[in-house]
Amino acid sequence: MLLPAKSEVARQLRHYRAWERSMLASPSDVTVRTTFEDSGYTLCVLMGKRCAREAADAAERYLRTNLVTHAHEQPERLAPSGPMTPSGAA
């Protein structure tokens, strides 16, 4: 399973939160709203979610966890190919 780099997730999450604050401060500004929605879409693609709020929550969880914990939280994304040994060899 491929996971995005934590540095990229953190960068995109900061970008999304900054535009969220701008959008809340100026909800009638079309440019701000459009950029906020674009940043939400990018976060959705990066985190594999359909909703920006879910993507932001998933990004925050991902940044708090290590790889093993994240893999256990996302069983639907894993495709087990049989029993695994610690080295990965069968």
Side-chain angles (χ1 to χ4, degrees):
M1 167 175 57
L2 294 176
L3 296 172
K6 284 193 173 191
S7 60
E8 183 62 18
V9 173
R11 187 175 77 78
Q12 291 297 333
L13 183 59
R14 280 192 310 271
H15 188 246
Y16 173 79
R17 292 297 187 203
W19 282 108
E20 180 180 42
R21 287 188 299 275
S22 295
M23 197 275 305
L24 291 171
S26 303
S28 60
D29 187 325
V30 175
T31 302
V32 170
R33 182 175 289 276
T34 300
T35 307
F36 168 65
E37 290 173 355
D38 288 348
S39 68
Y41 176 79
T42 301
L43 200 56
C44 285
V45 171
L46 191 62
M47 298 309 298
K49 300 294 182 183
R50 292 183 179 212
C51 167
R53 185 178 304 265
E54 290 176 6
D57 290 345
E60 289 170 351
R61 278 192 311 274
Y62 177 55
L63 292 172
R64 285 193 307 263
T65 63
N66 61 32
L67 180 60
V68 174
T69 303
H70 183 74
H72 287 287
E73 290 177 351
Q74 302 294 326
E76 70 277 2
R77 298 186 93 186
L78 298 176
S81 58
M84 297 282 291
T85 63
S87 68

